[in-house]
Amino acid sequence: MPSQATEDYLKHIFQLTLENPHQLVSMGDLAESMEVVPGTATSMVKKLHRDKLVHYEAYSGVKLTSKGRKTALRVLRRHRLVETLLVETFGLDWAEVHEDAERLEHAISDKLMERIDSFLGHPLTDPHGDPIPASDGEMPTTKIHRLVDGVAGDKVTITRILDQEQAFLRFIDERGLRPGTTVRIEQTDDVGDAMTVRPSRRQPVTMGRAAARKLLVEPAG
Amino acid sequence: MPSQATEDYLKHIFQLTLENPHQLVSMGDLAESMEVVPGTATSMVKKLHRDKLVHYEAYSGVKLTSKGRKTALRVLRRHRLVETLLVETFGLDWAEVHEDAERLEHAISDKLMERIDSFLGHPLTDPHGDPIPASDGEMPTTKIHRLVDGVAGDKVTITRILDQEQAFLRFIDERGLRPGTTVRIEQTDDVGDAMTVRPSRRQPVTMGRAAARKLLVEPAG
DNA sequence: GAGATTATTTTGACTCGTCAAAATATAGAG
DNA sequence: CTCTATATTTTGACGAGTCAAAATAATCTC
Ligand SMILES: [Mn+2]
Ligand SMILES: [Mn+2]
Ligand SMILES: [Mn+2]
Ligand SMILES: [Mn+2]
C-alpha cells in the first residue's frame, strides 16, 4: 500500500496537470503545493520514480506514470466521495470538509468506499463541483474553461471551485457563486487585474483574476 | 496531536487493564498486543512517559496517566462509533469492520465525530457490545464478568465479544452467540479445559476456556 | 542462595519524511 | 557569450517507529 505521503504527492501532481496530464511539474511548484521545501520534493519524487509511479528527469520535472495516475485517481475518488458524504449525510459545511477528507481519503478500504458510493446514490460530483472518478479508475476528461478567460458579455455557468480553502469557499458562498450558478460577465479590467460578474438576481461581484482563475465554468446553455 | 502509533499504544494499554485500570502492563504483554518486539514497546513507552501519557518505571510496567486515559477513551469512542456507522449505515458485516475502524479512528475530527454520533442516535454500544465512551471522555465502569468464570446451571446474557478477529466473530455468529443472546451453561470441564453452553432454541456449543474468556456476560434477569 | 531461565532494556541499524544550508545546474540579461 | 539570478539537487541532520541481537535485571528452581 502506498503511504499517506505518497498518495498526497501523486494527488498534487495530478492536480497540477489538470489542463494537460503530459505537462511536466517543476519541483518548485510541487514543493509549494505540498508545503514542503524543494529538497524534500526532490527526494520524495526520486522514491516515486523508484516505485514507477512517476516519470522523472533531473532538472526537467515530473509527471505521473499510468500506475501513478491510477493511484491518484483512487485517492481523488475517496476524497470527493468522503466530502460528499460529510456534506450530504452529516450536514457539515462545504467550506469545512476538506481537512477531514484530507485524512479520511487515506483510511478507507475499497469495499467501504463502494458502500458509501451506493449509499450516496453514485454521485458524479462533490460539493465543490469536482468530478468523482469512477471505481474503475477513470474520469471523463472535460475541457477546462476558467472564468478568468471569459470576456464581457459572456454568460457562463460555474461548474467547479478549484481552491478548497475555507476563506475562499466562504467568499464564493456569500456572493452566490456556488457551482450550478449562471453568471454574466459584466466587465473585465486588464489594467486593474479584475473582473466583474453578476449572478442572476444578485449583486455584481468584482474579483481579482487570481480568484477568477480558480472558478471553472461552461458556456451557459 | 498524538500520532497514530501513540493513539494505538494508549488504546492497547487501556484494553489490557480492563478489569483494573491501576494494574501495571508488562512490556511483554504490550509488545504482544501491539505486534511489535519488546524493545520497540520499551522505546515507545519511554516517549509516552516523556509526554506524560503514562506512568512508567523500568522493569516494573506501564499504566495510563489521566491524560493518557482521556486520549485512549477518545480513540475508543471514535473506533466504536465508526464500527457502528459501518454496520448500521453502510451494511458491512460486524466481522469485517475492525480493519477500517482501526485506521479511521485516527482520522476523524471532533466535530465530525459528534455529527456521526447524532446521525446514529447516540448509540451506547458498538456492534460487538463494547460500550461507547461519552464525548466528555467518560465511560461507566461496569464489572467485568467473563463467561469462563460461570458454573454449570448459570443462565447468562452475552454482552460483549472482546476478540475482534474475523475468524472468532464468525465462529460466534454462526453459533448464535451474539451480544444480547441468553445462554445456559450446560457443563464445565476443568480437565478438558472446555465448557458447553446452550443458547435458547439452538444447538449447544462447546468451546475452550481461552474462547470463553473472550465473552463477557451478565446474569440473565 | 546459587545458578538457570525468562523478561526487559540497550545498542546499533534501518526506512520514511522532513528541514537547513551548501553545491550545482539552468535560464535570463546584457 | 558571459555573468548573474533563480531553480534544483545534494549533503548532513533529525524524530518517529521499527527490528535484531547483545547486555542486563528479575524471577524461578532446586
Ligand atoms: Mn491527504
Ligand atoms: Mn472537493
Ligand atoms: Mn488504530
Ligand atoms: Mn468493536
Side-chain angles (χ1 to χ4, degrees), chain A residues 79-80 83-84 94 97-98 101 126-130 161 164 169:
Chain A
H79 186 101
R80 292 173 182 171
E83 283 187 343
T84 307
W94 78 324
V97 294
H98 191 68
D126 81 0
H128 313 104
D130 297 313
I161 317 295
Q164 326 254 303
L169 289 173

Side-chain angles (χ1 to χ4, degrees), chain A residues 79-145:
Chain A
H79 186 101
R80 292 173 182 171
L81 277 172
V82 164
E83 283 187 343
T84 307
L85 179 72
L86 302 197
V87 170
E88 303 272 306
T89 307
F90 301 127
L92 292 180
D93 191 288
W94 78 324
E96 65 186 5
V97 294
H98 191 68
E99 328 293 331
D100 269 291
E102 198 54 56
R103 293 189 307 276
L104 289 167
E105 67 188 355
H106 310 290
I108 293 182
S109 65
D110 282 341
K111 183 156 191 179
L112 174 55
M113 196 74 282
E114 297 323 311
R115 294 300 177 98
I116 292 176
D117 187 40
S118 304
F119 179 82
L120 294 172
H122 310 287
L124 298 175
T125 65
D126 81 0
H128 313 104
D130 297 313
I132 298 175
S135 53
D136 67 17
E138 274 318 306
M139 194 168 55
T141 46
T142 47
K143 259 277 170 47
I144 304 288
H145 300 287

Side-chain angles (χ1 to χ4, degrees), chain A residues 18-19 140-146 159-160 216-218:
Chain A
L18 255 194
E19 35 274 84
T141 46
T142 47
K143 259 277 170 47
I144 304 288
H145 300 287
R146 305 181 122 93
T159 55
R160 289 173 71 176
L216 300 194
V217 297
E218 60 187 21

Side-chain angles (χ1 to χ4, degrees), chain A residues 192-207:
Chain A
D193 192 54
M195 74 192 300
T196 302
V197 303
R198 196 168 59 76
S200 31
R201 87 197 86 257
R202 272 261 192 179
Q203 292 300 312
V205 181
T206 299
M207 68 182 94

Side-chain angles (χ1 to χ4, degrees), chain A residues 27-28 42 46 56 58-59:
Chain A
M27 292 303 121
T42 301
K46 282 178 168 181
Y56 167 66
Y59 294 105

Side-chain angles (χ1 to χ4, degrees), chain A residues 4-214:
Chain A
Q4 200 157 311
T6 294
E7 291 189 341
D8 281 335
Y9 275 91
L10 295 174
K11 193 179 65 168
H12 279 83
I13 294 167
F14 182 91
Q15 309 261 47
L16 289 168
T17 54
L18 255 194
E19 35 274 84
N20 166 14
H22 292 295
Q23 181 186 343
L24 289 171
V25 174
S26 73
M27 292 303 121
D29 287 355
L30 179 55
E32 186 186 352
S33 172
M34 286 294 300
E35 301 184 63
V36 295
V37 300
T40 300
T42 301
S43 79
M44 277 302 294
V45 162
K46 282 178 168 181
K47 288 184 191 141
L48 298 178
H49 185 241
R50 187 236 301 148
D51 299 338
K52 306 216 190 307
L53 293 161
V54 300
H55 297 292
Y56 167 66
E57 195 87 51
Y59 294 105
S60 127
V62 67
K63 68 179 192 179
L64 299 176
T65 61
S66 73
K67 184 180 169 196
R69 183 161 187 281
K70 210 173 137 239
T71 305
L73 283 167
R74 243 192 19 246
V75 181
L76 236 23
R77 174 169 167 81
R78 284 165 165 64
H79 186 101
R80 292 173 182 171
L81 277 172
V82 164
E83 283 187 343
T84 307
L85 179 72
L86 302 197
V87 170
E88 303 272 306
T89 307
F90 301 127
L92 292 180
D93 191 288
W94 78 324
E96 65 186 5
V97 294
H98 191 68
E99 328 293 331
D100 269 291
E102 198 54 56
R103 293 189 307 276
L104 289 167
E105 67 188 355
H106 310 290
I108 293 182
S109 65
D110 282 341
K111 183 156 191 179
L112 174 55
M113 196 74 282
E114 297 323 311
R115 294 300 177 98
I116 292 176
D117 187 40
S118 304
F119 179 82
L120 294 172
H122 310 287
L124 298 175
T125 65
D126 81 0
H128 313 104
D130 297 313
I132 298 175
S135 53
D136 67 17
E138 274 318 306
M139 194 168 55
T141 46
T142 47
K143 259 277 170 47
I144 304 288
H145 300 287
R146 305 181 122 93
L147 175 59
V148 74
D149 297 322
V151 299
D154 285 358
K155 283 189 126 174
V156 296
T157 301
I158 294 171
T159 55
R160 289 173 71 176
I161 317 295
L162 293 184
D163 184 342
Q164 326 254 303
E165 287 294 313
Q166 289 207 19
F168 189 70
L169 289 173
R170 294 244 156 79
F171 169 94
I172 293 303
D173 211 24
E174 285 158 10
R175 288 164 182 76
L177 297 175
R178 279 172 171 270
T181 312
T182 294
V183 304
R184 179 169 185 286
I185 300 179
E186 298 290 335
Q187 62 168 71
T188 62
D189 177 354
D190 283 21
V191 181
D193 192 54
M195 74 192 300
T196 302
V197 303
R198 196 168 59 76
S200 31
R201 87 197 86 257
R202 272 261 192 179
Q203 292 300 312
V205 181
T206 299
M207 68 182 94
R209 311 179 74 131
R213 201 166 291 115
K214 301 180 198 164

